[in-house]
Amino acid sequence: MFARRFLLTVFSTACISLSSFALSPAPKSIEFNRDVRPILSENCFPCHGTDSASRKGGLRLDRFEDATAPAKDGKIAIVPSKCEASELVRRVNATDDDQMPPKKTKKVLTAAQKDLLKQWIACGAKYQPHWSYIPPQKPAVPEVKNKQWIKNRIDNFILARLETEKLKPNSEADRRTLARRVSLDLTGLPPKSEDLDAFLKDKSTNAYEKFVDHLLTLPAWGEHRARYWLDAARYADTHGIHMDFYREIWPYRDWVINAFNTNKPFDQFTVEQIAGDLLSKPTMEQKIATGFNRCNITTSEGGAIDAEYQVLYARDRTETTSQVFLGLTTGCAVCHDHKFDRITQKDFYSLSAFFNNTTQKAMDGNIRNTPPVIVVPKPEDRARWEALPVAKVAADKVIKNRRKSARPEFKTFLITAKPDAFDKHVPTDEPAFHALLADKDHAIKYTFAGATNSVTLATNTAWQDGVIAKNAFTTSSKNIPRIKEAGDFDNNQPYSISLWVKLNSLDGTFVSRMDDTNGFIGWDFRLEAGRPAAHLIHKWPDDAWKVIGKNTLVTNRWTHVCLTYDGANKAGGVKIYVDGHSQEIEVAADKLQNTTRTTVPLSIGQRNNTSPLEKAGLQDLRFYTRVLKPEEITSLGQGRRLAWLLSEPADKRSKTERSALYDSWLAGFDKKYQELTAALTKLNEEEAVIKARSPEAHVMHERTNAPEAYVLIRGEYTKPKDRVTPETPAALPPMAKDWPKNRLGLAKWIVAPENPLTARVTVNRFWQEVFGTGIVRTTGDLGVSGEMPSHPELLDWLAIDFREHDWDVKRFFKQIVMSATYRQAATVSRDKLDKDPDNRLLARGPRFRMDAEMIRDYALATSGLLIPKIGGPSVKPYQPPGVWESIAMIGSDTRDYKQDTGEKLYRRSLYTFWKRTA
């Protein structure tokens, strides 16, 4: 019996030691992540870890299946429960050339570390996944000796560690210091004098809590929190590369500010940013929230390849979402499996598939509102904006009914109709230049200044069916009609250009007088990514204007386009018409001052040497030296076409031509139809007025097909390999089967209780905002190559507590700043500085440098220059030359000072400063 007891005792303690006399006592329980991984990471993994390029001897110790596999010589590094058979034990205890780590590395294991490795192997060498991949469990709140110091449960975790390290916390900071600290941390601004005075005079026991509660109600709370968030979201008001033009994305910034000020639960905050557009009946605000994924850098540079940039955009969104919400460096798996974390290349591209299904085009067009975008009406316009689509549908229905009922009257009209009935608004003055572009005898006839002339064409000139005459000229870069005397417009001369086009491609020049050899000087009317555009240039881009129409023209269909310019040297004096309808335009440049005249001739179908419009049909090119009226433009287009159609025998008209005749009769002769369309036009105009005074938000919009992506060999967009569908990384808990495989399903997975990362990453980032350093110092990397948490139990407790309290952000920050840990004085003794120079143990209050934006705002606030903005568009006051530069150190900021965006944010007014110092 005694022998049996003895054997059982020895067996039960085998996991603690090979011999109860040979090894020192082990910890109560050995954990791989806490006790063993740090030893291996420091001393073994550089040569026997995740990086295959630096791995020695084919041995890998970071994974159980590799560490326990026989080597070529039959030896096994780790044999669970058998230290005497484990090569690792022999090598770390060797004193000859077999010693590990090798002497040349100058790494030496202590006796305690060697013993711990033996005890771990004797216990079965149990590995764990990386700590952040293990779902957090809420630990018990530790007991402490100095219970009087405790303010809330955060303090238990901090003090327990301090008592273990034999350090005492500092006493509480004085009230004035504490007020300044908490005001800066919660609002980014120093406390207002009246708030500070009230706090200093308040003798109640909860005076500090009332002060904190007041700060959490201030608009500056959301603005300060949003500043950190927008940095993580790579927010910017410009495209980022190429011409780096302004983009109107600030409604997303305001959404973030409002989300923090209204204390939107963080899980909802997350879902709406990743997939607000995919929610059931999404609100305008939920769509605006998806601006998170529209903050990426974009381009419209000539020569940029669509397929390449679509890959880059999906990669950026994958990397950003992974780092911000999951604290993972998934981008390391773009070209190969992640060297440290268990993220394969397939995992990365499966994750990128969630973001690879947007309707956003690769090229941003160098405009402020690259689609997809939505209009964001002002609050006072919102109700009418939402009512207008309903009213327009009703008006359109009545118009369609009239179209059906008016057929008999149209047939009566046709009996006596004459072609000149449609020419009543054609301009009566002669055009300065007119080329019908309908001749087919190797020449184009034209009139200039009342005289008729012609330009000879190549014998192989192509022609096609015309729109107002039988033949139409077809463009070719090898056959450019040039007319020296025509189109010699200057910057201060009004003019109009009208023509019919039938497009075969979406880029090129309709007509121009542009010297593109020695820089750029002159004018053009052209096509950019399918949209009509125009330049008038003295020197690009410093002395020029450029406008781009919003709508894309249709290929393989005749379209009438017209450009008018009032000669006022401003892009605002330019209008573009398509089929008689004025187009909304984007102004890409507006600095024209000097002459634009050039000696190069007028070119039809390209600039002087570049930008050809290939295989496009052109007809009825006209120049006028004045601004045409809208009705004249309509008559030059549809009126001229319909007059030609009416001149054709009735039995020769196609179905399309008969329909065009009917449409023109309705618009020009049927009073009832005119009244109905006028009512619809009024609704459209009202909508346009609201839109004109409203900003637009960049949003996400999903294509109808199922998301997918391809694993790219070495990350090259030209080398797709295996097709993959949207999936989350295999090393993490799977997505629920009933969730959609799109961004909405991904968003739900990110905030699911089973996900071990999101809550940890979030509370760690918030902790960093207050203490200067996160519990995990590497806030963007909680993976294997990131740092271990300084207080792992506290991190897990905070993460679960945050989740259990409905992801309440204000509650979380209040919990931190109410703690005794936070309230400590920041003074430091020599002993504390030696033991904890970076204050990772928090034996003293946080003390770190303010960032640049806080320094700027602090200076403006204390000098009385930080003023609330009343609303409406920002208007930059006049500044004499040099003032912006001279006060740049105060904090001139492109986004806040120089953009006319109408944002509802505290603006940093420099005008008062100039008035006081000028």
Side-chain angles (χ1 to χ4, degrees):
M1 189 69 164
F2 173 78
R4 183 178 295 175
R5 276 184 178 173
F6 176 77
L7 289 172
L8 286 171
T9 303
V10 171
F11 180 77
S12 65
T13 58
C15 71
I16 300 179
S17 62
L18 292 173
S19 165
S20 57
F21 304 102
L23 302 177
S24 58
K28 290 182 179 179
S29 62
I30 299 176
E31 285 189 11
F32 177 77
N33 282 333
R34 183 191 64 203
D35 306 312
V36 179
R37 188 189 291 274
I39 300 174
L40 299 180
S41 295
E42 175 65 24
N43 300 284
C44 306
F45 287 172
C47 297
H48 304 295
T50 57
D51 190 349
S52 58
S54 61
R55 196 176 299 144
K56 307 295 184 184
L59 174 61
R60 184 170 183 176
L61 293 174
D62 64 305
R63 298 197 305 198
F64 177 84
E65 57 269 30
D66 295 306
T68 57
K72 291 181 180 180
D73 58 5
K75 295 179 180 179
I76 303 175
I78 295 175
V79 181
S81 304
K82 295 182 180 179
C83 289
E84 68 281 0
S86 299
E87 184 69 4
L88 181 144
V89 175
R90 186 184 74 80
R91 297 294 288 270
V92 299
N93 286 288
T95 57
D96 54 12
D97 291 342
D98 284 348
Q99 177 181 325
M100 287 291 163
K103 293 179 181 178
K104 64 181 179 181
T105 65
K106 302 188 184 305
K107 294 180 183 291
V108 179
L109 292 179
T110 65
Q113 288 174 325
K114 294 176 184 179
D115 284 352
L116 186 60
L117 290 175
K118 286 183 182 180
Q119 294 166 22
W120 170 63
I121 293 173
C123 283
K126 292 181 180 179
Y127 276 73
Q128 290 177 302
H130 182 63
W131 69 268
S132 65
Y133 290 3
I134 301 172
Q137 301 293 323
K138 197 168 188 180
V141 177
E143 293 294 328
V144 295
K145 298 175 183 176
N146 184 12
K147 291 182 171 56
Q148 294 76 20
W149 186 74
I150 301 298
K151 300 289 185 184
N152 62 32
R153 292 180 179 181
I154 290 174
D155 301 325
N156 288 75
F157 290 94
I158 297 298
L159 187 57
R161 178 73 181 277
L162 293 177
E163 289 179 346
T164 300
E165 301 288 341
K166 295 183 170 43
L167 287 172
K168 291 184 178 181
N170 279 355
S171 57
E172 187 169 310
D174 65 85
R175 275 196 169 194
R176 191 176 292 273
T177 298
L178 194 55
R180 176 183 178 275
R181 178 192 298 171
V182 73
S183 183
L184 286 171
D185 285 335
L186 295 185
T187 69
L189 299 169
K192 293 182 179 180
S193 57
E194 58 270 26
D195 293 337
L196 178 60
D197 289 343
F199 172 56
L200 295 176
K201 294 175 182 177
D202 191 344
K203 303 303 181 184
S204 62
T205 56
N206 65 339
Y208 176 67
E209 183 175 11
K210 287 190 288 184
F211 184 66
V212 168
D213 288 340
H214 170 68
L215 294 174
L216 292 173
T217 65
L218 298 177
W221 150 262
E223 293 164 7
H224 188 51
R225 295 277 75 78
R227 190 169 60 81
Y228 289 113
W229 183 259
L230 293 171
D231 283 346
R234 79 273 193 236
Y235 174 85
D237 278 321
T238 60
H239 295 305
I241 52 178
H242 186 34
M243 294 183 181
D244 199 24
F245 282 143
Y246 168 68
R247 63 180 172 195
E248 195 164 73
I249 198 169
W250 63 263
Y252 166 68
R253 178 195 61 192
D254 283 7
W255 179 89
V256 173
I257 294 169
N258 186 62
F260 281 114
N261 276 332
T262 58
N263 203 27
K264 185 183 289 288
F266 189 82
D267 58 342
Q268 185 180 345
F269 178 77
T270 299
V271 169
E272 291 182 8
Q273 288 185 90
I274 296 174
D277 59 309
L278 299 178
L279 294 170
S280 177
K281 297 181 180 179
T283 65
M284 181 178 292
E285 284 71 23
Q286 288 169 334
K287 293 177 182 178
I288 293 171
T290 64
F292 174 84
N293 272 311
R294 293 296 306 279
C295 288
N296 61 296
I297 287 175
T298 60
T299 189
S300 200
E301 185 173 5
I305 301 170
D306 284 14
E308 179 180 15
Y309 275 89
Q310 292 288 14
V311 167
L312 290 175
Y313 297 166
R315 178 191 299 179
D316 170 271
R317 288 165 181 150
T318 305
E319 293 174 349
T320 301
T321 301
S322 298
Q323 189 170 65
V324 170
F325 295 104
L326 304 175
L328 293 179
T329 55
T330 57
C332 296
V334 168
C335 303
H336 48 71
D337 291 350
H338 203 296
K339 288 186 175 183
F340 303 102
D341 294 310
R342 289 202 171 190
I343 301 170
T344 65
Q345 193 182 17
K346 181 180 178 182
D347 282 336
F348 177 83
Y349 287 103
S350 296
L351 195 57
S352 77
F354 287 105
F355 304 102
N356 200 39
N357 210 38
T358 176
T359 59
Q360 179 188 358
K361 294 182 179 180
M363 299 296 112
D364 58 39
N366 294 321
I367 58 174
R368 66 179 176 85
N369 54 356
T370 309
V373 295
I374 60 170
V375 176
V376 185
K378 296 179 178 181
E380 58 270 26
D381 289 332
R382 182 74 62 90
R384 185 57 181 162
W385 177 260
E386 293 173 352
L388 278 170
V390 178
K392 286 171 60 180
V393 168
D396 189 59
K397 185 177 180 179
V398 175
I399 290 172
K400 288 179 179 178
N401 290 336
R402 178 56 187 166
R403 287 180 63 86
K404 294 177 181 178
S405 64
R407 285 283 178 184
E409 297 168 54
F410 173 63
K411 291 179 180 180
T412 302
F413 163 81
L414 282 179
I415 296 173
T416 59
K418 303 294 183 184
D420 58 7
F422 295 95
D423 283 338
K424 64 179 181 179
H425 291 304
V426 171
T428 55
D429 53 331
E430 289 288 334
F433 170 82
H434 179 215
L436 187 60
L437 300 174
D439 309 288
K440 204 175 179 181
D441 54 358
H442 311 308
I444 290 177
K445 294 179 182 179
Y446 64 89
T447 60
F448 177 76
T452 301
N453 209 329
S454 65
V455 57
T456 303
L457 300 175
T459 57
N460 62 347
T461 299
W463 298 85
Q464 57 184 285
D465 291 338
V467 66
I468 65 164
K470 186 174 182 180
N471 301 313
F473 174 68
T474 301
T475 62
S476 169
S477 58
K478 297 178 181 179
N479 188 18
I480 303 297
R482 300 184 190 276
I483 303 168
K484 185 176 181 179
E485 64 270 28
D488 190 16
F489 306 130
D490 205 351
N491 63 308
N492 56 2
Q493 292 178 276
Y495 60 84
S496 300
I497 302 172
S498 164
L499 75 156
W500 280 94
V501 298
K502 185 178 181 182
L503 301 175
N504 184 64
S505 61
L506 295 179
D507 287 283
T509 303
F510 303 138
V511 60
S512 75
R513 189 166 177 134
M514 175 73 72
D515 186 349
D516 51 1
T517 303
N518 303 308
F520 288 90
I521 183 170
W523 63 265
D524 65 19
F525 188 23
R526 62 194 313 271
L527 197 65
E528 292 189 3
R531 299 183 302 166
H535 296 82
L536 192 57
I537 302 173
H538 173 75
K539 181 180 179 182
W540 180 260
D542 301 322
D543 194 350
W545 58 246
K546 175 183 179 179
V547 297
I548 309 171
K550 180 178 180 181
N551 296 329
T552 302
L553 302 189
V554 179
T555 57
N556 298 314
R557 193 199 79 180
W558 282 103
T559 303
H560 187 259
V561 293
C562 183
L563 168 76
T564 68
Y565 168 58
D566 65 5
N569 281 349
K570 296 292 182 182
V574 183
K575 290 185 178 181
I576 294 176
Y577 295 82
V578 175
D579 285 336
H581 300 290
S582 179
Q583 301 294 293
E584 183 178 349
I585 62 172
E586 290 289 338
V587 176
D590 195 7
K591 299 179 181 179
L592 182 62
Q593 295 294 329
N594 298 299
T595 182
T596 57
R597 298 187 68 178
T598 175
T599 58
V600 301
L602 176 79
S603 297
I604 299 175
Q606 73 168 36
R607 287 172 173 166
N608 194 43
N609 293 294
T610 61
S611 189
L613 183 69
E614 294 287 1
K615 299 181 180 179
L618 298 184
Q619 203 163 58
D620 202 25
L621 173 62
R622 297 166 178 253
F623 298 162
Y624 291 87
T625 54
R626 64 181 179 86
V627 175
L628 292 176
K629 299 175 183 178
E631 59 268 23
E632 292 177 318
I633 295 169
T634 299
S635 188
L636 281 175
Q638 297 303 323
R640 293 280 296 146
R641 169 163 170 69
L642 295 171
W644 182 59
L645 291 174
L646 198 57
S647 67
E648 291 286 305
D651 58 350
K652 298 290 181 68
R653 296 173 195 148
S654 67
K655 182 178 179 180
T656 302
E657 291 168 345
R658 291 196 300 272
S659 178
L661 277 171
Y662 183 52
D663 289 343
S664 181
W665 174 79
L666 286 170
F669 297 91
D670 184 40
K671 291 184 178 180
K672 188 171 184 180
Y673 185 84
Q674 290 172 348
E675 290 172 359
L676 295 175
T677 54
L680 179 59
T681 299
K682 187 174 181 181
L683 293 174
N684 285 326
E685 289 174 349
E686 185 181 0
E687 189 176 57
V689 168
I690 295 176
K691 183 177 181 181
R693 61 177 177 239
S694 304
E696 290 181 302
H698 290 233
V699 300
M700 292 291 281
H701 183 259
E702 200 83 344
R703 295 199 304 260
T704 54
N705 49 304
E708 65 174 18
Y710 287 87
V711 176
L712 303 179
I713 299 173
R714 299 298 302 170
E716 293 286 345
Y717 76 96
T718 56
K719 297 179 180 179
K721 190 182 177 185
D722 300 326
R723 177 179 172 273
V724 292
T725 55
E727 296 289 346
T728 53
L732 294 169
M735 182 187 294
K737 292 181 180 180
D738 58 339
W739 288 346
K741 289 297 182 69
N742 57 19
R743 284 181 283 111
L744 182 57
L746 176 67
K748 290 181 176 181
W749 174 81
I750 285 176
V751 295
E754 297 79 19
N755 192 317
L757 293 168
T758 308
R760 279 178 173 142
V761 170
T762 304
V763 299
N764 187 64
R765 183 181 290 111
F766 289 162
W767 186 275
Q768 175 183 267
E769 292 174 16
V770 174
F771 287 100
T773 305
I775 296 173
V776 179
R777 190 194 298 266
T778 52
T779 52
D781 185 5
L782 268 64
V784 172
S785 54
E787 289 195 14
M788 294 289 289
S790 60
H791 298 78
E793 293 84 4
L794 174 58
L795 179 63
D796 283 0
W797 187 91
L798 288 171
I800 294 176
D801 184 70
F802 182 49
R803 200 171 63 205
E804 288 177 344
H805 287 85
D806 301 321
W807 306 79
D808 188 325
V809 176
K810 285 191 176 182
R811 177 188 174 276
F812 179 81
F813 275 90
K814 180 178 178 179
Q815 195 174 21
I816 290 178
V817 301
M818 290 299 295
S819 68
T821 303
Y822 176 80
R823 298 197 223 181
Q824 294 177 90
T827 54
V828 58
S829 64
R830 171 53 59 186
D831 179 51
K832 289 182 179 179
L833 194 61
D834 291 342
K835 285 186 177 181
D836 185 19
D838 295 327
N839 198 26
R840 302 289 282 133
L841 301 178
L842 294 171
R844 56 187 184 274
R847 183 179 181 182
F848 53 93
R849 294 181 184 273
M850 292 189 292
D851 56 39
E853 289 167 304
M854 287 181 68
I855 293 173
R856 174 197 67 186
D857 294 350
Y858 198 110
L860 291 169
T862 54
S863 60
L865 301 177
L866 188 66
I867 59 174
K869 186 167 180 300
I870 307 304
S874 302
V875 179
K876 186 180 73 175
Y878 169 75
Q879 300 288 353
V883 168
W884 286 104
E885 290 74 16
S886 68
I887 57 179
M889 291 184 66
I890 298 292
S892 173
D893 179 282
T894 300
R895 185 175 65 226
D896 291 337
Y897 298 111
K898 298 181 181 178
Q899 292 297 348
D900 181 8
T901 59
E903 64 268 36
K904 295 176 182 177
L905 181 67
Y906 272 80
R907 77 185 286 258
R908 281 66 171 162
S909 172
L910 299 179
Y911 179 61
T912 306
F913 177 86
W914 173 70
K915 290 287 287 183
R916 292 179 181 177
T917 57

